[in-house]
Amino acid sequence: MLVEYAALALPLLALILLATRILWWLVARVWSKRKRRSWAGTAQLPLRTAVVLGSGGHTMEMLSLLKEVDQERYRCDFIMAQTDSSSLKKVQATRPDLAKDLTRFHVIPRSREVGQSWSSSLLTTAQAFLACLGLVWELNPQVLLVNGPGTCFPVVAAVLLFELIAFRRVSLIFVESVCRVKSLSMSGKLIYPFADAFLVHWPELVERYAKAQYLGILF
């Protein structure tokens, strides 16, 4: 009888612990109105930083942000889509010092091609997410910097998953596109609840989104 009770109680206890962990994580990252306690200031430098590169305008805006990156504070690894043939060249042209070590550039399957149907995007996004699991585990970033390309979604999901189940704390920084003056992009709306820092270029967005931080035009 005791063995039977134990067989029932252990799975139930495991479910309770899992539910408690998920609830605690959601409260800490999503629902808490207080700013999460910053630990980056006390972490050993340089901080392991993952930067997601997109294509087109997203890449150019990210490269403008990277002009100010201090290598003594941030050790950058770059993540881009397999079909992205331009981002590496643009980093080499803009910040050649960050592109000296090509092993810091990592490719993942593209989540969604331009014009691809949303139904087929589910499969390609799942493939990209699975690829990101191993990469994110290997990189173990302390900071994740994204500005909204589709490539960032599986990376963000993998980082948040490992924070949830493996207690790998990460600071998620989202920089909204300079084109968004009065409303957030779709990427911004999806990542907004989870971001530690959500930076915008226009004061109008601060009036609508409490978490948004207006620092002026960043580039």
Side-chain angles (χ1 to χ4, degrees):
M1 182 67 71
L2 183 59
V3 174
E4 293 178 356
Y5 280 131
L8 292 174
L10 289 177
L12 180 60
L13 178 60
L15 288 175
I16 293 174
L17 292 175
L18 177 60
T20 301
R21 168 58 184 161
I22 294 174
L23 180 61
W24 179 88
W25 178 80
L26 286 172
V27 169
R29 179 168 277 283
V30 180
W31 293 327
S32 178
K33 299 299 182 183
R34 298 176 300 173
K35 292 184 177 179
R36 297 207 309 166
R37 182 180 178 183
S38 175
W39 52 270
T42 60
Q44 183 178 358
L45 299 179
L47 295 174
R48 298 184 304 275
T49 304
V51 180
V52 179
L53 300 175
S55 57
H58 286 297
T59 295
M60 297 309 299
E61 290 183 7
M62 182 60 77
L63 290 176
S64 297
L65 295 172
L66 292 175
K67 289 180 179 179
E68 306 300 326
V69 168
D70 182 357
Q71 291 194 78
E72 294 185 359
R73 291 187 57 82
Y74 302 97
R75 176 180 177 272
C76 293
D77 280 272
F78 299 93
I79 302 173
M80 52 192 181
Q82 286 176 339
T83 56
D84 185 348
S85 60
S86 61
S87 288
L88 173 57
K89 296 177 181 178
K90 291 177 180 177
V91 175
Q92 290 173 325
T94 306
R95 284 294 303 268
D97 55 319
L98 295 177
K100 289 181 179 179
D101 186 355
L102 295 182
T103 63
R104 298 205 181 284
F105 288 80
H106 313 273
V107 296
I108 61 172
R110 184 178 290 275
S111 299
R112 181 175 183 270
E113 297 285 356
V114 176
Q116 182 179 349
S117 67
W118 289 106
S119 58
S120 62
S121 296
L122 295 176
L123 177 59
T124 53
T125 299
Q127 292 172 337
F129 173 69
L130 292 176
C132 285
L133 291 176
L135 177 60
V136 167
W137 183 265
E138 176 185 355
L139 297 179
N140 189 18
Q142 297 166 289
V143 178
L144 176 60
L145 176 61
V146 299
N147 68 336
T151 306
C152 78
F153 288 114
V155 181
V156 170
V159 163
L160 294 179
L161 176 64
F162 286 134
E163 182 181 73
L164 171 63
I165 66 175
F167 299 88
R168 286 188 165 189
R169 185 74 178 274
V170 62
S171 289
L172 173 56
I173 302 173
F174 183 91
V175 183
E176 183 59 281
S177 171
V178 70
C179 299
R180 309 304 301 196
V181 179
K182 296 183 178 180
S183 63
L184 298 182
S185 62
M186 179 60 71
S187 302
K189 291 177 181 177
L190 292 174
I191 295 177
Y192 177 84
F194 303 98
D196 292 289
F198 195 94
L199 309 181
V200 298
H201 300 277
W202 303 98
E204 290 87 344
L205 291 173
V206 176
E207 298 173 1
R208 298 187 60 186
Y209 301 95
K211 187 187 291 187
Q213 300 177 51
Y214 168 62
L215 302 179
I217 302 298
L218 299 179
F219 38 79

